[in-house]
């Protein structure tokens, strides 16, 4: 019989990343194998959870209370895990996390460098609960904050608490949430609306998706609390259409919350009514902008409007509206429950709490990371991220999404908070962090983002639409070797006009990638324009590869890596690249163990 | 409500935009997407001015900025001229051959570097006035579609529109004369569709389309004589004169 004194919980990550790697079959296999298994004497429960953040090492399976975490689990491993770990309490070394910083395998993933520095508030439940199971959420203090405000706090007290906590909006602009609520509450114009911004248009960012998938109830609870505070009875969740799992889990959670009395009429007998509805977003980047988002909910074209009258006064259908980001909402219940002072202790004076970053690019550990505001960028990249892949030289970090900026390695000590990042000419944005090594061309990066924005601007203002287009043309010219020095001045001068003259924050930030790369990597622009050389070997028109005779040891590695057989040479002899055949893929450059492959400028420049 | 524009005090009503106050008082703030009687669109960005409230000042676009008591507005500063020049440069690169843009280019002494000129000229500067005009009529035959650099004004899927009545209100409001309206042999062609023209019963000139007449008649539930605007004005003027002749 089952020994009910010992309970083992098996948590199988079923976030989008792990699902793509078949984690649901793993979950089903566990369910099937554990059902009526006569060898198992302990009580087991299996949970399909939200994303653990380390997607590239998934599928992730955690076993509690032993605190054992297995990574890259496959369906074939299930029997072994049951046999060895569940029944016999043994650890399977092969499946443990390999920590490249500590150079060892780690039993409890919380001890891994990637997780050790993290402080989870917004992501507190993700990976720990089954998002479809409201009881799981309740077991971890869910809906306690709602009880507290409904029966112990006045709407003003709720606003005071949020304002005192110093919480600033996590959607990008960092506007103080309490102030937003207070202003909205001050208008005596009803109905009022509460909106959750789940558009997450920033490519590469997936924290909002993770929260919606992995802990939908925290968003619901946060929104009800706001509804109570500003006297609104209706909320909308604007979620992008591609987010299938998020849409499914959010809808299930809303239905479940309603049947448990947390949503609908007379919530928990308090007399307060509030309900939620999901609106699917079309997936345009600009629809994440508040006024475009509201236009889109109203069924109009997703174009921003001038915000001289703000949406807290005239928002959705011209009624007072509070719009907050998914991550902002996830912070509300813990703030109410633990108090403003608890929250203020975390982070820095003007940037309280934590921020979730999605760490991607040329860094060893990629994934979602929640850390206190003000953590240094270097700590994120090296301590948590484990440094650069293949230990190549670190060059820069791009933060803030498509209209963020690039921060060079000289400024790696910059604290990650709203104000410090803005001072660098970059921004927080939604928290995307893209790490770049020496094989990244900064001019090409700027060009890439202008290309993205030229399609994603709504196209309403001349400055944004035509300005980005002109910047894109100039940058394309430079990467093709047709640039002139005056182009740099034009880019800077035009960039400033676009920032000042555009209508919404998309246009007002769009030049950031260009202006920051000019500010920190001007030499690289000059190399492209004057020396007709792309030092990173990215712009094909401006790159040649050659092998330094002095350094080459004739190992032949580059010859084997070349996809077009452009390299010749016998073993232990100096190798040569045939310029006529070379397609400039750069394989030899990264493969050479002696760094003997060098990057030269355009062939015609010699 | 009193506001100051370039040092002088003017009266405005709550809810009015800065552009409305300026135009009413004959103050010139350049714009391509503003038209009296239409709500401000904020698209062309030429109407940028500086607004100070106490110590703080900011750049706003006059056509969508609702006035506030006590603001001080400056319509020309070095910064504003620089921005307008850049905006005109961008319009010039979009519509290099357009005579209306050329006028602005002359006025603001803008020069486009030869290298930046591309061969994708488009007289339409996406001010959106035509779409608004059509919307106001209640026809809604054209709209702004797509986003970013592919944005354009068009009928649904670029097909001849069922809703279009060929009235030409769009072409009439266009500040750059970008909408093609052709007439020959009693047929008007606009937005890829042909319309039968109707003659004025007084002067005999073609003056509108059959569809437009029908649309208005249905809307007003009336059956007026088919008289063109010019003749209508003339006839009211003569009626006016007649009635005055009786007085004196
Ligand atoms: C172009 C653009 C895209 C945006 N996309 C998002 C988004 O995807 N998600 C989001 O929460 N905020 C986005 N924002 C910010 C919103 O406009 C708004 O400031 C935010 O949702 C407010 O919530 P918060 O105060 O909780 O951050 C975007 C802003 C701009 C200008
Ligand atoms: S700044 Fe760009 S995205 Fe914003 S309204 Fe203008 S054109 Fe649209």
């Amino acid at each position: 019989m089952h020994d009910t004194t010992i309970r083992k919980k098996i948590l199988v990550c079923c976030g989008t990343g792990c699902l793509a790697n078949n984690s649901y079959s793993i979950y089903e296999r566990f369910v099937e194998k554990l059902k009526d298994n006569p060898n198992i004497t302990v009580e087991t429960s299996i949970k399909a959870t939200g994303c653990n953040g380390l997607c590239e090492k998934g599928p992730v399976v955690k076993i509690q209370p032993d605190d054992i975490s297995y990574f890259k689990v496959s369906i074939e491993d299930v029997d072994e895990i049951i046999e060895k770990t569940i029944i016999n309490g043994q650890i399977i070394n092969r499946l443990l996390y390999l920590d490249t910083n500590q150079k060892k395998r780690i039993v409890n993933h919380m001890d891994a460098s990637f997780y050790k520095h993290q402080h989870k508030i917004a992501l507190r439940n993700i990976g720990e609960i089954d998002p479809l199971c409201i009881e799981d959420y309740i077991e971890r203090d869910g809906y306690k904050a709602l009880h507290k405000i409904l029966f112990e706090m006045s709407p003003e007290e709720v606003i005071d608490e949020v304002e005192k906590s110093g919480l600033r909006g996590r959607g990008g602009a960092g506007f103080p949430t309490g102030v937003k609520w207070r202003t909205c509450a001050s208008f005596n114009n009803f109905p009022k609306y509460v909106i959750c911004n789940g558009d997450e248009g920033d490519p590469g960012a997936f924290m909002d998706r993770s929260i919606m998938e992995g802990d939908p109830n925290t968003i619901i609870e946060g929104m009800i609390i706001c509804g109570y505070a500003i006297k609104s009875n209706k909320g909308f969740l604007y979620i992008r259409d591609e987010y299938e799992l998020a849409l499914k889990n959010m809808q299930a959670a809303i239905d479940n919350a309603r049947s448990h009395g947390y949503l609908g009429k007379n919530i928990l007998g308090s007399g307060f009514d509030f309900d939620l509805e999901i609106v699917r977003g079309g997936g345009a980047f600009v629809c994440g902008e508040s006024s475009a988002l509201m236009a889109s909910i109203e069924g109009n074209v997703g174009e921003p409007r001038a915000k001289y009258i703000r949406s807290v006064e005239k928002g959705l259908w011209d009624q007072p509206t509070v719009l907050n980001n998914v991550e902002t909402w996830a912070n509300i219940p813990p703030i109410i429950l633990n108090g403003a002072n608890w929250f203020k202790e975390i982070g820095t004076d003007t940037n309280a709490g934590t921020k979730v970053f999605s760490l991607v690019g040329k860094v060893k550990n990629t994934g979602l990371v929640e850390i206190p505001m003000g953590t240094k960028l270097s700590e994120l990249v090296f301590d948590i991220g484990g440094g650069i892949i293949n230990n190549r030289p670190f060059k820069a970090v791009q933060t803030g999404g498509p209209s963020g900026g690039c921060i060079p390695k000289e400024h790696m000590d910059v604290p990650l908070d709203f104000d410090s990042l803005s001072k660098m000419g970059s921004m927080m944005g939604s928290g995307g962090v893209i790490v770049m090594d020496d094989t990244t061309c900064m001019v090409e990066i700027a060009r890439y983002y202008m290309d993205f924005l030229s399609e994603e601007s709504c196209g309403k203002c001349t400055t944004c639409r035509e300005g980005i287009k002109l910047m894109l043309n100039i940058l394309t010219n430079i990467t093709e070797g047709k640039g002139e020095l005056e182009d740099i001045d034009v880019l800077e001068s035009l960039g400033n006009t676009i920032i000042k003259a555009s209508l919404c924050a998309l246009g007002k930030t769009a030049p950031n990638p260009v202006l920051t790369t000019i500010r920190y990597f001007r030499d690289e622009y000059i190399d492209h324009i004057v020396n007709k050389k792309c030092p990173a070997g990215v712009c094909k028109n401006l790159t040649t590869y050659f092998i330094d005779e002095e350094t080459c040891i004739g190992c032949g590695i580059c010859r084997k890596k070349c996809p077009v057989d452009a390299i010749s040479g016998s073993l232990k002899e100096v190798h040569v690249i045939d310029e006529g055949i070379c397609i400039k893929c750069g394989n030899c450059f990264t493969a050479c163990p002696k760094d003997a492959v060098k990057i030269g400028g355009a062939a015609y420049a010699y | 409500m009193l506001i100051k524009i370039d040092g002088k005090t003017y009266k405005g009503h709550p809810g009015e935009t800065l552009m409305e106050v300026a135009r009413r008082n004959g103050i010139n703030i350049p714009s391509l997407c503003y038209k009296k009687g239409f709500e401000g669109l904020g698209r062309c960005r030429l109407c940028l001015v500086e607004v100070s409230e106490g110590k703080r000042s900011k750049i706003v676009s006059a056509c969508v900025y609702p006035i506030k008591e006590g603001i001080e507005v400056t319509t020309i500063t070095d910064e504003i001229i620089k921005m307008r020049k850049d905006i005109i440069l961008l319009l010039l690169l979009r519509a290099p051959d357009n005579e209306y843009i050329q006028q602005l280019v002359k006025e603001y002494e803008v020069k486009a570097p030869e290298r930046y000129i591309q061969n994708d000229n488009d007289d339409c500067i996406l001010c959106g006035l035509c779409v608004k005009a059509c919307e106001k009529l209640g026809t809604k035959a054209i709209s702004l579609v797509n986003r970013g650099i592919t944005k354009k004004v068009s009928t649904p899927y670029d097909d001849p529109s069922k809703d279009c009545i060929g009235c030409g209100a769009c072409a009439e409001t266009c500040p750059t004369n970008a909408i093609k309206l052709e007439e020959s042999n009693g047929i008007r062609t606009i937005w890829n569709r042909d319309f039968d023209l109707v003659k004025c019963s007084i002067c005999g000139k073609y003056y509108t389309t059959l569809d437009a007449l029908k649309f208005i008649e249905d809307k007003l539930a009336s059956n007026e004589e088919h008289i063109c605007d010019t003749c209508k004005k003339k006839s009211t003027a003569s009626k006016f004169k007649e009635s005055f002749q009786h007085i004196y």
Side-chain angles (χ1 to χ4, degrees):
Chain A
M1 242 3 293
H2 285 179
D3 178 354
T4 44
T5 53
I6 309 170
R7 299 172 72 191
K8 291 218 193 240
K9 229 191 232 170
I10 301 159
L11 303 169
V12 183
C13 180
C14 287
T16 296
C18 285
L19 278 181
N21 286 315
N22 230 359
S23 70
Y24 201 74
S25 318
I26 296 175
Y27 166 76
E28 287 179 322
R29 178 83 166 204
F30 268 113
V31 174
E32 183 199 329
K33 285 277 163 178
L34 289 173
K35 199 171 61 187
D36 304 324
N37 186 331
N39 295 330
I40 296 179
T41 54
V42 295
E43 192 190 1
T44 54
S45 67
I46 309 135
K47 300 249 168 225
T49 72
C51 175
N52 282 274
L54 247 182
C55 302
E56 102 197 305
K57 301 225 173 11
V60 184
V61 173
K62 294 187 292 192
I63 293 141
Q64 283 170 352
D66 315 61
D67 278 338
I68 299 168
S69 319
Y70 289 144
F71 290 81
K72 294 204 170 179
V73 176
S74 71
I75 194 151
E76 290 78 34
D77 298 322
V78 172
D79 291 8
E80 190 181 348
I81 293 175
I82 292 176
E83 185 64 32
K84 290 202 175 138
T85 311
I86 309 288
I87 298 178
N88 292 318
Q90 293 166 359
I91 288 168
I92 307 167
N93 251 314
R94 161 174 59 84
L95 296 174
L96 292 178
Y97 178 74
L98 180 65
D99 191 318
T100 48
N101 279 22
Q102 301 180 43
K103 299 202 171 47
K104 62 175 189 199
R105 291 204 179 261
I106 290 189
V107 177
N108 177 0
H109 70 283
M110 286 305 174
D111 296 330
S113 307
F114 182 76
Y115 289 104
K116 213 164 55 188
H117 302 260
Q118 298 200 42
H119 186 135
K120 302 217 176 197
I121 298 175
L123 304 181
R124 66 195 178 281
N125 290 327
I126 296 172
E128 307 298 327
I129 63 171
D130 177 348
L132 295 178
C133 177
I134 196 168
E135 287 77 17
D136 275 18
Y137 179 67
I138 293 169
E139 196 181 305
R140 290 175 62 99
D141 294 340
Y143 291 111
K144 263 199 192 160
L146 181 63
H147 270 276
K148 183 169 169 184
I149 60 131
L150 288 179
F151 302 108
E152 295 168 31
M153 293 170 85
S154 67
E156 294 71 40
E157 283 171 330
V158 175
I159 295 178
D160 284 345
E161 201 67 23
V162 174
E163 194 170 346
K164 248 180 28 203
S165 75
L167 174 67
R168 295 171 65 173
R170 303 307 196 224
F175 191 82
T177 307
V179 175
K180 192 185 272 187
W181 292 18
R182 185 178 301 287
T183 323
C184 191
S186 74
F187 294 105
N188 264 327
N189 180 5
F190 298 91
K192 295 182 182 181
Y193 298 106
V194 178
I195 306 179
C196 168
N197 190 341
D199 190 55
E200 197 160 56
D202 174 355
F206 57 107
M207 55 285 279
D208 294 348
R209 189 190 73 200
S210 272
I211 297 172
M212 291 187 281
E213 286 175 4
D215 193 12
N217 281 292
T218 187
I219 303 168
I220 297 174
E221 190 176 3
M223 291 179 78
I224 309 172
I225 292 171
C226 175
Y228 175 78
I230 65 161
K231 302 195 170 71
S232 157
N233 306 109
K234 176 84 190 176
F236 293 91
L237 292 117
Y238 189 85
I239 305 174
R240 65 174 30 223
D241 209 32
E242 300 107 278
Y243 279 6
E244 271 177 54
L245 185 61
L247 282 158
K248 180 177 144 258
N249 289 3
M250 273 313 319
Q251 189 60 57
I254 289 172
D255 296 342
N256 223 345
R258 203 179 286 127
S259 61
H260 279 73
Y262 295 118
L263 279 176
K265 292 244 171 276
N266 191 17
I267 295 174
L268 303 175
S270 65
F272 173 62
D273 307 336
F274 190 79
D275 216 333
L276 285 173
E277 190 179 313
I278 291 179
V279 178
R280 287 164 176 254
F285 176 62
V286 71
C287 282
E289 193 277 338
S290 54
S291 59
L293 183 148
M294 291 178 203
S296 177
I297 294 182
E298 291 167 5
N300 298 319
V301 181
E303 271 187 359
R305 62 163 176 83
K307 285 193 281 191
Y308 302 123
I309 300 173
R310 281 169 303 147
S311 46
V312 280
E313 183 178 351
K314 279 189 174 181
L316 192 58
W317 290 296
D318 278 347
Q319 293 302 117
T321 304
V322 163
L323 169 81
N324 278 125
N325 163 261
V326 168
E327 191 185 331
T328 313
W329 291 122
N331 276 290
I332 299 293
I335 288 175
I336 295 294
L337 213 52
N338 305 321
N341 289 334
W342 160 81
F343 192 75
K344 256 173 37 189
E345 289 293 304
I346 307 157
T348 69
D349 278 355
T350 49
N351 288 265
T354 58
K355 175 78 192 90
V356 183
F357 292 94
S358 68
L359 184 64
V360 296
K362 303 281 178 66
V363 64
K364 283 179 189 154
N365 307 322
T366 60
L368 286 186
V369 179
E370 182 169 1
I371 43 178
M373 288 267 190
T375 303
K376 284 184 177 149
L377 180 57
S378 52
E379 195 177 330
L380 177 61
V381 174
F382 291 100
D383 300 339
I384 299 171
I388 311 300
I389 295 175
N390 293 330
N391 299 321
R392 292 207 69 83
F394 167 63
K395 185 167 181 178
V397 154
Q398 206 271 353
T399 73
S403 47
C406 291
I407 299 171
K409 68 164 186 282
E410 294 77 36
H411 293 284
M412 275 308 278
D413 279 343
V414 61
L416 292 164
D417 60 58
F418 290 107
D419 312 310
S420 308
L421 288 171
S422 295
K423 251 184 244 149
M424 299 294 305
S426 185
M427 59 187 204
M428 178 74 87
S430 54
V433 173
I434 305 173
V435 179
M436 300 165 182
D437 67 7
D438 62 333
T439 61
T440 313
C441 166
M442 303 317 281
V443 185
E444 170 55 25
I445 284 289
R447 195 204 62 79
Y448 170 83
Y449 284 117
M450 287 311 105
D451 192 27
F452 177 88
L453 291 170
S454 73
E455 285 169 17
E456 291 300 328
S457 141
C458 83
K460 179 174 181 171
C461 325
T462 311
T463 41
C464 178
R465 181 190 68 240
E466 305 295 331
I468 292 173
K469 184 177 170 197
L470 178 54
M471 285 194 149
L472 173 62
N473 287 344
I474 295 174
L475 289 163
T476 307
N477 276 342
I478 298 177
T479 56
E480 286 173 353
K482 295 182 282 198
E484 286 182 21
L485 269 181
E486 63 160 16
D487 289 344
I488 301 181
D489 302 333
V490 175
L491 286 173
E492 285 185 312
S493 150
L494 179 64
N496 284 323
T497 295
I498 298 173
I499 287 173
K500 281 191 229 150
S502 297
L503 187 122
C504 87
L506 188 149
K508 286 181 176 301
T509 54
N512 282 347
V514 183
L515 297 181
T516 51
T517 47
I518 294 179
R519 177 161 154 195
Y520 300 119
F521 298 93
R522 186 178 280 267
D523 286 351
E524 212 165 309
Y525 276 82
I526 293 174
D527 253 345
H528 280 75
I529 294 169
V530 178
N531 307 326
K532 304 293 172 206
K533 176 180 173 180
C534 173
V538 172
C539 305
K540 302 293 169 221
N541 273 5
L542 303 179
T543 299
T544 45
Y545 289 100
F546 64 91
I547 294 173
D548 181 35
E549 294 174 16
E550 306 279 294
T551 338
C552 177
I553 52 167
C555 69
I557 291 177
C558 61
R559 179 159 41 83
K560 288 183 202 122
K561 288 269 175 180
C562 179
V564 291
D565 293 331
I567 303 177
S568 54
S570 354
L571 216 57
K572 299 205 175 146
E573 304 268 321
V574 170
H575 281 50
V576 184
I577 301 175
D578 185 334
E579 202 47 54
I581 306 176
C582 173
I583 55 162
K584 297 154 192 173
C585 69
N587 281 1
C588 52
F589 178 75
T590 40
C592 178
K594 290 284 165 197
D595 286 339
V597 180
K598 305 287 179 203
I599 298 175
Y604 60 81
Y606 293 94
Chain B
M1 165 184 314
L2 294 179
I3 66 169
K4 260 190 186 165
I5 304 179
D6 293 332
K8 280 201 196 139
T9 305
Y10 299 92
K11 222 170 149 174
H13 314 292
E16 259 188 322
T17 64
L18 190 47
M19 185 68 107
E20 284 167 327
V21 180
R23 287 282 161 106
R24 185 150 37 78
N25 291 290
I27 300 162
N28 179 34
I29 299 175
S31 167
L32 286 168
C33 69
Y34 177 75
K35 193 179 174 84
K36 200 175 163 202
F38 283 49
E39 65 187 293
L41 299 175
R43 290 179 181 273
C44 78
R45 316 306 295 163
L46 275 172
C47 68
L48 296 170
V49 294
E50 193 180 290
V51 167
S52 313
E53 250 189 298
K55 275 192 199 126
R56 281 191 305 177
S57 70
K58 58 183 175 189
I59 303 287
V60 306
S61 75
C63 72
V64 284
Y65 182 80
I67 52 165
K68 283 190 220 164
E69 181 70 52
I71 52 167
E72 292 187 22
V73 182
T74 318
T75 63
I76 295 185
T77 65
D78 288 350
E79 189 189 19
I80 288 169
I81 291 180
K82 193 237 166 208
M83 282 192 270
R84 285 188 194 151
K85 280 184 172 219
D86 279 352
I87 293 166
I88 294 165
L89 168 71
L90 293 172
L91 292 169
L92 174 64
L93 292 173
R94 182 179 175 96
D97 307 324
N98 190 277
E99 59 173 309
Y100 301 90
I101 302 298
Q102 285 297 343
Q103 281 169 17
L104 283 168
V105 166
K106 261 206 207 103
E107 188 185 336
Y108 280 84
E109 297 171 347
V110 173
K111 258 196 82 157
E114 203 69 34
R115 301 188 301 123
Y116 297 162
I117 298 173
Q118 296 210 324
N119 301 322
D120 48 359
N121 306 356
D122 192 343
D123 281 329
C124 170
I125 51 126
L126 296 167
C127 72
L129 275 174
C130 53
V131 174
K132 278 284 160 212
C134 191
E135 201 178 290
K136 273 178 177 269
L137 270 171
T139 29
K140 291 194 182 172
I142 47 172
S143 53
L144 282 156
V145 298
N146 303 343
R147 58 177 185 265
I149 50 177
T150 58
K151 199 172 192 103
K152 61 175 185 176
V153 177
S154 87
T155 53
Y157 307 103
D158 283 329
D159 290 337
S161 157
K162 286 197 308 294
D163 300 321
C164 181
I165 53 171
C167 70
C170 50
E172 202 169 298
T173 60
C174 179
T176 55
N177 203 10
I179 299 174
K180 254 202 254 144
L181 185 152
E182 280 160 7
E183 289 181 1
S184 71
N185 302 329
I187 302 282
R188 174 183 288 178
T189 309
I190 186 167
W191 297 112
N192 295 327
R193 211 184 124 183
D194 293 342
F195 295 88
D196 288 328
L197 285 166
V198 180
K199 279 182 184 161
C200 168
S201 58
I202 296 177
C203 68
K205 281 188 196 146
Y206 287 122
Y207 79 103
T208 188
T209 65
L210 202 57
D211 293 54
L213 264 185
K214 258 188 25 217
F215 181 82
I216 291 168
E217 281 170 4
D218 286 354
K219 224 177 168 178
L220 303 177
S222 76
N223 239 330
E224 277 189 48
E225 265 182 290
H226 296 174
I227 305 174
C228 73
D229 278 353
T230 331
C231 292
K232 223 180 255 170
K233 269 183 211 148
K234 266 189 206 155
S235 85
T236 16
S238 56
K239 273 184 202 152
F240 201 65
K241 226 166 152 188
E242 269 171 37
S243 48
F244 272 92
Q245 271 165 357
H246 288 298
I247 298 172
Y248 300 105

